[in-house]
Amino acid sequence: MESSLKIGSAQLGPISLAESRYDVVKRLLALLYKAHSFGVKFIVFPELALTTFFPRYWMTNQVDVDRYFETKMPNEVTQPLFDAAKKLGIGFYLGFAELSEEDNRIRRFNTSILVGPDGKIIGKYRKIHLPGHSEKRDDVPFQHLEKRYFEVGNLGFGTWPVFGTRVGMAICNDRRWPETYRVMALRGARVVVLGFNTPTENINHDEPLHLRMFHHRLVMQAAAYQNGMWIVATAKAGYEDGFHLHGGSCIISPTGEIVSQSTTEDDEVIVYDCNLKLGDYILNSVFNFKKHRRIEHYGPITSQTGVDDLIDVSSKL
Amino acid sequence: MESSLKIGSAQLGPISLAESRYDVVKRLLALLYKAHSFGVKFIVFPELALTTFFPRYWMTNQVDVDRYFETKMPNEVTQPLFDAAKKLGIGFYLGFAELSEEDNRIRRFNTSILVGPDGKIIGKYRKIHLPGHSEKRDDVPFQHLEKRYFEVGNLGFGTWPVFGTRVGMAICNDRRWPETYRVMALRGARVVVLGFNTPTENINHDEPLHLRMFHHRLVMQAAAYQNGMWIVATAKAGYEDGFHLHGGSCIISPTGEIVSQSTTEDDEVIVYDCNLKLGDYILNSVFNFKKHRRIEHYGPITSQTGVDDLIDVSSKL
């Protein structure tokens, strides 16, 4: 078993509404070759990496929505990415909007796939923590309609043995929830990869803008340490037709430290030679789950969704 | 309902083996009066605040161990603290080693109490995440025998309505586990208070020393944000008979920011006027639990203690 793995985070700058998937795949290919020049064996692309971040737009005609979705993966447009990855022996994570026919109906998910160095899809994840809202809001500068355009993922938090380790996938807002990482850690994940599109402005509050980047990093750094895992997070960044996404792609070690981070809001590759054993001392001591976790006291985490209704309302939110 | 609360964190410098509880209570009283001079209404003392951090010592005679325990609270030595708090109208959190007779046997816990501004005990917590080991280790510079000297807490993670909000308690190593805060948040906690004694040196690994303080802050800052809660953490700090505790008392806002922190390793009071509504926007939007949590995918958190035994061993720790 390899004890180190060269991972790359391949950030994308903005994708305009006017840009075609063909052009985007060219950009992904350029990033793939750049990563290869570093000796990278596993590259992480963003969430919804083939189109603009369309959940910011209110659309009433399903045809308009569906043009952002892929009905097959790989498909004609993305096949060159799979071919190049196979040729170079690089595995990848790719996020895209997935339209599939299941249970005799059309279903739509915010999806990521894990592709092995042989160019074959070995894992699929469908976003579980969909943020935003499902109806049009008139009180905000832009929409965040993930709850409208996607169903909640139905595949759970999977983990897959590959690259001499075990990899888990998440997508964007999943990263803010400690449950995401804990479930994957309990399923053996030692590397968690995720893509994101995060608006710089919090439409729900006049929160200082700098806190958005702070929170983005904080939740992942804590999770990396608390689960003794590597986390690789890749942004789509910059101004998409006037709407700013905050960027901040980074690679986080199991000590919770950011060991590499992007410096632009454009197409950019960052890499790190990840020591896959670094988290062992953490999982063998302070976070030896078997020795220290006390699940008999964690009940509410899985038995109730919101705050206990029996709690005295005067002190509730 | 008050929308702000002046909270103080009353850090203790070292307590030597040679120091009597009477002297320690004098120090606690001085801190209480200092806090009162700031207008503080709720003061947080450390874990095991009446004695040295005795789990660092290997003891084979139970009598030697039991002299660090309290059989009653308040007792003759601590009564002046309760009296002064009542006189000043200040509530407090206090950690101590608790010896009680329950179920017809002697039981020992690492305990904290929540005392209201009327001087009455309104809540008790017994530490759930006991760190360390239960047998003597010869490979380490000092012991960490909490698993030997204490039982795992049997009261769960409680929360109590007081000070115009709802308060939860944790102790030391509990703060490193995201489950701690989540359970309390689901039980309505908007302020979590905790005391700690944390050795500067990680006896399990030659981890860079600076990471200890980083991790201490990281886990609490993430938890404050992820649960939209205030967190107040109070250290016992400095050299106790040659063994260094890292200090770092702090008050963390629901944005995850450290808004006040200690600057010494000695007796010291820090205060903050906590806006009890600050976390509302977080719990109403990004972390609206009822709207966004997906408990159907969190199963392993409460159904399994360690890493899934079915996971392919080659990729397991």
Side-chain angles (χ1 to χ4, degrees), chain B residues 56-294:
Chain B
R56 75 168 63 92
Y57 300 108
W58 172 253
M59 295 174 275
T60 51
N61 190 335
Q62 193 60 48
V63 175
D64 292 333
V65 179
D66 284 349
R67 67 197 172 97
Y68 298 101
F69 283 71
E70 316 299 318
T71 53
K72 211 180 129 192
M73 188 60 65
N75 54 34
E76 192 193 343
V77 182
T78 56
Q79 187 62 50
L81 186 64
F82 286 74
D83 295 341
K86 180 179 176 183
K87 190 178 81 181
L88 302 175
I90 300 181
F92 66 88
Y93 163 106
L94 179 74
F96 60 93
E98 177 194 17
L99 189 152
S100 74
E101 197 173 328
E102 286 175 26
D103 307 327
N104 293 315
R105 60 188 177 98
I106 299 294
R107 309 189 65 169
R108 296 171 187 83
F109 299 100
N110 188 340
T111 294
S112 64
I113 47 169
L114 183 62
V115 176
D118 59 355
K120 294 206 176 103
I121 295 174
I122 57 177
K124 183 187 274 191
Y125 170 71
R126 289 165 168 171
K127 187 172 182 175
I128 285 172
H129 295 100
L130 294 174
H133 45 101
S134 53
E135 294 305 321
K136 190 177 184 202
R137 286 181 59 176
D138 292 324
D139 61 331
V140 290
F142 53 88
Q143 306 294 309
H144 200 125
L145 292 159
E146 289 194 58
K147 283 201 193 292
R148 181 179 189 86
Y149 299 141
F150 302 113
E151 284 185 63
V152 170
N154 61 348
L155 303 177
F157 292 106
T159 67
W160 295 269
V162 61
F163 308 119
T165 185
R166 185 171 276 271
V167 174
M169 292 192 278
I171 299 177
C172 195
N173 180 51
D174 287 317
R175 76 191 186 287
R176 300 187 192 271
W177 299 83
E179 291 89 346
T180 297
Y181 309 93
R182 188 63 104 219
V183 170
M184 287 194 276
L186 289 166
R187 290 178 173 158
R190 307 300 304 276
V191 178
V192 164
V193 297
L194 63 95
F196 63 98
N197 287 260
T198 300
T200 300
E201 190 180 344
N202 184 341
I203 60 174
N204 295 300
H205 193 258
D206 56 351
E207 184 183 63
L209 292 188
H210 73 91
L211 287 181
R212 297 283 276 176
M213 185 63 81
F214 171 65
H215 291 155
H216 155 67
R217 291 171 173 155
L218 178 63
V219 291
M220 294 192 295
Q221 291 184 264
Y225 167 58
Q226 290 170 321
N227 296 284
M229 57 173 50
W230 288 89
I231 297 179
V232 180
T234 304
K236 182 137 61 63
Y239 281 101
E240 285 196 328
D241 302 305
F243 301 96
H244 195 257
L245 302 170
H246 74 31
S249 300
C250 53
I251 300 176
I252 302 170
S253 89
T255 61
E257 295 171 289
I258 294 174
V259 293
S260 185
Q261 64 181 38
S262 59
T263 50
T264 75
E265 294 182 347
D266 216 329
D267 293 11
E268 178 180 355
V269 173
I270 58 171
V271 306
Y272 202 80
D273 191 19
C274 303
N275 172 1
L276 297 172
K277 300 279 193 195
L278 182 54
D280 288 10
Y281 86 91
I282 292 171
L283 293 174
N284 279 326
S285 56
V286 58
F287 298 133
N288 182 325
F289 294 158
K290 206 136 206 167
K291 201 166 157 193
H292 300 309
R293 295 184 78 241
R294 305 301 318 187

Side-chain angles (χ1 to χ4, degrees), chain A residues 1 129 147 176 179 182 186-187 207 215 226 255 281 292-293 298 301-302 304 308 311 314, chain B residues 1 129 147 176 179 182 186-187 207 215 226 255 281 292-293 298 301-302 304 308 311 314:
Chain A
M1 179 169 156
H129 294 100
K147 283 200 194 294
R176 301 186 190 272
E179 290 89 346
R182 186 64 102 216
L186 289 167
R187 290 177 173 159
E207 184 182 64
H215 291 155
Q226 289 170 321
T255 61
Y281 86 92
H292 299 308
R293 294 184 79 243
Y298 301 162
I301 294 173
T302 52
Q304 65 188 74
D308 191 342
I311 295 292
S314 69
Chain B
M1 181 169 152
H129 295 100
K147 283 201 193 292
R176 300 187 192 271
E179 291 89 346
R182 188 63 104 219
L186 289 166
R187 290 178 173 158
E207 184 183 63
H215 291 155
Q226 290 170 321
T255 61
Y281 86 91
H292 300 309
R293 295 184 78 241
Y298 301 162
I301 294 173
T302 51
Q304 64 187 74
D308 192 341
I311 294 293
S314 70

Side-chain angles (χ1 to χ4, degrees), chain A residues 10-15 27 46-54 56 195-198 234-238 240 244-249 265:
Chain A
Q11 177 175 287
L12 282 173
I15 300 177
R27 290 166 61 184
E47 173 195 35
L48 300 174
L50 301 172
T51 68
T52 198
F53 186 67
F54 63 90
R56 74 168 67 91
F196 62 99
N197 285 262
T198 300
T234 304
K236 181 138 60 64
E240 285 196 329
H244 195 255
L245 301 169
H246 75 32
S249 300
E265 294 181 348

